[in-house]
Amino acid sequence: SDVAALVPPLAVAFGTAGQVYVAQLTGAGDRTKTRHTVGTLLSWMILLSIVFLVGTLALRWKIMGWLNCPEEAMAGAVQYLEITAIAMPAVFIYNAICSVLRGMGESKRPLLFIIVAAVVNIVLDVVLVAWCGLGAAGTAIATAASQLGSCIASCIYLYRKRDLLDLKFNWDTFRIRWEPLKIILVLGIPRVVQNVAIHFSLMFCSARVNEFGLVATAANGVGNKIQRLCNVFVMGVDGAASTMIGQNLGARRTDRCEKTVWGTLACTMILATITSAVCRSCG
């Protein structure tokens, strides 16, 4: 699960980079560059997801070995990784489309997509794990199905709103162009490095914890899930601030950018204080 958890932050990193640039172009009212950026972002994310999919499947046994996965859990862990790896393209595509929508100021649809995915995940978890007894494989199938569902829903919405973005679903639209790709890489790579450093440190810790057996591994997994839940609040504020600042930069309203920065800082400090207090009291 640690390896599977590494993929969404990478998708989010490049998706956020695209979101920031789309927000700037939207604020500037440049529809042509917006269209080129959207096509480039989607194609880049698909290409990246295929690389991760092939790499994960090819190295799945070695990855579990590097993580010191307990021998009795090895088969289930590899099976979980195989199933979740198949859904990697859906994760990247979904994040790319939702980043484009957020960059244009549309935040309700991505929220609905993720709510539906969460509900589907919970229901399938209960059915496949509790009723069908599929164990780790059932959890992986539920996760992959929810990710695929949110991806399909976002693709359908993008197709229906193609006129808004002046998108034509042909080769020229989705051709990777160097100018927007360069900006996406410049904005996205620092965030990718940050996310990779954080998750590799967590994976290193998990590898050490796994040496103590299944009980310690399960306890560490619970702690990691709580930590990821806390990050959801920060990511939400971060995404909203990125769009607001990007659109104001595009519209050359730098005075609003400063207000947004201070407002974001206040929100994150309040959320951090509340989350810390809740975790301490429940611990």
Side-chain angles (χ1 to χ4, degrees):
S1 63
D2 289 306
V3 178
L6 177 63
V7 174
L10 295 178
V12 169
F14 282 114
T16 302
Q19 174 183 328
V20 171
Y21 191 40
V22 168
Q24 292 180 17
L25 295 174
T26 300
D30 194 330
R31 290 175 61 86
T32 300
K33 285 188 176 181
T34 301
R35 183 177 70 252
H36 291 169
T37 300
V38 171
T40 298
L41 176 63
L42 287 169
S43 297
W44 167 248
M45 295 286 263
I46 292 172
L47 179 63
L48 204 60
S49 69
I50 293 173
V51 172
F52 274 96
L53 169 61
V54 174
T56 301
L57 292 178
L59 299 174
R60 58 192 184 280
W61 288 100
K62 289 186 178 181
I63 290 172
M64 290 298 107
W66 295 335
L67 291 174
N68 292 322
C69 180
E71 190 64 32
E72 57 269 33
M74 179 67 77
V78 170
Q79 190 178 39
Y80 181 95
L81 186 58
E82 289 171 344
I83 296 172
T84 53
I86 296 173
M88 284 182 182
V91 174
F92 278 85
I93 294 171
Y94 165 78
N95 276 280
I97 294 175
C98 287
S99 295
V100 170
L101 296 177
R102 293 190 190 102
M104 299 184 68
E106 172 58 81
S107 60
K108 293 181 180 179
R109 292 292 176 175
L111 174 62
L112 292 176
F113 296 152
I114 203 65
I115 289 174
V116 172
V119 172
V120 170
N121 199 346
I122 292 171
V123 172
L124 287 180
D125 262 336
V126 173
V127 173
L128 297 176
V129 178
W131 292 356
C132 299
L134 295 181
T139 302
I141 293 172
T143 301
S146 65
Q147 291 169 340
L148 181 61
S150 60
C151 174
I152 292 173
S154 62
C155 288
I156 292 174
Y157 183 77
L158 181 67
Y159 181 77
R160 289 180 176 177
K161 297 295 181 180
R162 61 190 183 279
D163 293 336
L164 181 64
L165 292 170
D166 196 23
L167 281 178
K168 295 178 176 61
F169 281 73
N170 53 31
W171 166 250
D172 184 67
T173 297
F174 295 98
R175 178 166 54 89
I176 295 180
R177 292 174 168 82
W178 172 241
E179 182 181 353
L181 178 61
K182 180 175 66 175
I183 295 174
I184 290 171
L185 292 176
V186 169
L187 294 174
I189 287 178
R191 192 172 183 124
V192 168
V193 173
Q194 173 187 330
N195 288 338
V196 168
I198 292 172
H199 280 79
F200 265 106
S201 65
L202 292 175
M203 289 170 64
F204 177 80
C205 292
S206 295
R208 303 283 73 79
V209 171
N210 289 343
E211 295 175 353
F212 294 94
L214 285 176
V215 175
T217 300
N220 182 61
V222 172
N224 286 340
K225 289 184 184 298
I226 294 174
Q227 184 263 338
R228 289 171 197 150
L229 178 63
C230 295
N231 285 342
V232 171
F233 298 102
V234 178
M235 290 172 61
V237 175
D238 178 49
S242 299
T243 299
M244 293 175 65
I245 293 174
Q247 290 189 357
N248 284 316
L249 285 175
R252 302 187 184 279
R253 294 297 304 270
T254 54
D255 56 317
R256 293 181 178 177
C257 294
E258 183 177 355
K259 294 179 181 178
T260 303
V261 170
W262 286 111
T264 303
L265 178 61
C267 288
T268 51
M269 290 298 294
I270 292 171
L271 288 172
T273 303
I274 294 174
T275 304
S276 177
V278 171
C279 289
R280 291 285 298 176
S281 62
C282 294

